[in-house]
Amino acid sequence: MYYPVSSRIAALTMIRRDRLLPAPGQVLVSPGEVVGPADVVARCQLAGAVQVLDVSRTLGVPRARAVRYMRKAVGDTVQVDELVASPRGLLGQFRRGCRSPVEGQVIEIRDGLVLIESAATTYELRAHFRGQVQNVMPNRGVVISLSGALIQGMWGSGGEAAGVLKLAVDNPQKPLRPRAVDVSCHGTIVVGGRILDDDVLEQAIQARVRGIIVGGADARMRRSLESLPFPVLLTEGFGALPMSEPAFSLLQSNMGREALLSADTGTRRGAIRPEVVIPLPNGASAPDEGSSILPLEVGVQVRALRAPYLSGVGTVVDLPQQTQRVASGARLPVALVELMDGKQAEIPLANLELLH
């Protein structure tokens, strides 16, 4: 039995997601409470970062003598741009001093260096999802459950956002064009087939969209995508890839609904998939999300991960027991897949992803 990597594209499923604090803190909700995306469900204090000031270099004095110029002592508090060290007397008023870049407290002075710990900040954890608190993890966070549509993507960046879905193209093959991102896109999550250049990103910034969902984008645009002030999700990955028909159809059928975009990607321990969740009315018919580890069987839907069928979606119609010769000349285990255009193709098992 072969267990391929898998992605979820579900029109209706029961979704459960952990919402965890980065440090121990206080949970503010109870099991059974209904929460919205902007509701604060937990809170904690985050210790400030430590800033290092090189007084010796800034003042141009030997490290052994730098202590003579200190105007602050260990334990003193400082404000942003407050003088930490400078020559004393009238002459010192006209020379450049060494100033604190942050608000905080001096925690150490040694060898011409001053260590300042910035003030602690309060971190508020928001629900992000519109659902019900199913469970509370004391001091750490909550589990939120909801029923809705779910689409997992290949790559994403920019954190989380909530907004109304807005379709900017009429089929998944069409790229997202700047002229399609206008004032009507303000505050929405825009859906397109793919991204070809940076012009549409600049237009999206001006239109103040909440997020973008497309099939693919040129790999050379990765830095531009990561620098955007809103999240971006690629359902297929990097390359001139249109969005898959199942993902596009599901988004198209939910245009005008609220969508919750979680675009960050984790690829190592604790790996996470970028995803978009569309809350839908709760119903007994919503199946559980289930396991992400499922076998490859006849009748399941799959997506090709390599050329020549890259991003092609189809149904497995046969799993030959014998290895087959592929284009590279190697003999590999394959699946016979009927693609959405009706053609059948033998695709190596390692080049397939399960859609469920």
Side-chain angles (χ1 to χ4, degrees):
M1 190 70 69
Y2 180 70
Y3 293 83
V5 295
S6 63
S7 287
R8 292 283 284 161
I9 299 180
L12 180 63
T13 186
M14 185 60 66
I15 302 162
R16 295 176 181 85
R17 291 292 180 267
D18 295 345
R19 302 293 290 168
L20 300 176
L21 290 166
Q26 178 187 14
V27 176
L28 306 176
V29 294
S30 302
E33 285 192 41
V34 176
V35 293
D39 291 342
V40 177
V41 296
R43 182 182 295 125
C44 68
Q45 292 292 313
L46 296 180
V50 175
Q51 302 283 336
V52 180
L53 300 184
D54 194 332
V55 173
S56 176
R57 177 175 295 182
T58 302
L59 299 184
V61 299
R63 295 197 177 278
R65 297 177 54 192
V67 68
R68 302 180 184 180
Y69 300 92
M70 298 297 176
R71 292 178 176 261
K72 293 290 182 178
V74 173
D76 287 351
T77 57
V78 292
Q79 302 298 318
V80 177
D81 207 35
E82 186 175 357
L83 205 59
V84 174
S86 71
R88 298 185 181 275
L90 293 176
L91 186 60
Q93 298 179 12
F94 300 99
R95 289 188 179 180
R96 181 181 61 176
C98 189
R99 298 180 179 274
S100 174
V102 296
E103 177 186 352
Q105 184 179 45
V106 177
I107 60 173
E108 189 170 354
I109 298 174
R110 182 182 60 194
D111 298 330
L113 302 176
V114 177
L115 276 60
I116 300 175
E117 183 178 42
S118 59
T121 58
T122 299
Y123 177 87
E124 293 187 331
L125 177 67
R126 299 189 183 276
H128 178 59
F129 298 101
R130 187 178 300 283
Q132 186 177 53
V133 178
Q134 183 181 28
N135 190 25
V136 168
M137 293 168 275
N139 305 319
R140 293 310 307 266
V142 299
V143 179
I144 297 176
S145 65
L146 70 155
S147 63
L150 171 66
I151 298 174
Q152 292 182 325
M154 287 293 187
W155 182 89
S157 175
E160 300 173 339
V164 173
L165 285 174
K166 181 174 177 60
L167 196 68
V169 296
D170 57 12
N171 74 69
Q173 302 288 333
K174 287 188 176 181
L176 190 59
R177 300 291 188 185
R179 62 176 177 270
V181 185
D182 53 24
V183 292
S184 67
C185 296
H186 176 80
T188 67
I189 295 176
V190 178
V191 177
R194 50 204 168 110
I195 297 177
L196 299 180
D197 53 53
D198 288 337
D199 291 344
V200 69
L201 302 182
E202 295 176 2
Q203 182 62 30
I205 293 173
Q206 294 182 20
R208 300 180 67 182
V209 306
R210 293 279 181 86
I212 291 177
I213 304 172
V214 291
D218 193 307
R220 291 172 294 185
M221 298 178 61
R222 178 166 181 165
R223 184 171 296 180
S224 297
L225 295 174
E226 291 176 334
S227 66
L228 291 171
F230 50 78
V232 175
L233 185 147
L234 307 183
T235 62
E236 316 305 313
F238 285 104
L241 306 174
M243 187 179 296
S244 69
E245 186 62 43
F248 185 82
S249 296
L250 185 52
L251 290 169
Q252 187 177 43
S253 66
N254 285 285
M255 283 300 107
R257 292 185 181 273
E258 178 187 48
L260 310 169
L261 183 57
S262 304
D264 286 341
T265 307
T267 56
R268 297 186 180 181
R269 190 188 317 183
I272 56 174
R273 296 287 295 271
E275 63 182 19
V276 55
V277 172
I278 305 166
L280 296 173
N282 195 10
S285 61
D288 192 81
E289 187 177 359
S291 172
S292 61
I293 304 176
L294 298 172
L296 188 67
E297 300 174 326
V298 172
V300 300
Q301 194 171 51
V302 292
R303 173 166 51 194
L305 302 177
R306 300 287 186 276
Y309 304 105
L310 179 61
S311 198
V313 174
T315 303
V316 175
V317 295
D318 190 22
L319 290 168
Q321 293 186 357
Q322 301 297 321
T323 59
Q324 305 294 317
R325 191 174 299 279
V326 296
S328 66
R331 296 188 66 87
L332 300 171
V334 302
L336 182 62
V337 179
E338 183 174 326
L339 300 172
M340 297 193 74
D341 60 5
K343 295 180 181 179
Q344 292 191 349
E346 290 183 339
I347 303 176
L349 300 187
N351 293 351
L352 290 175
E353 176 188 42
L354 183 64
L355 299 179
H356 65 103

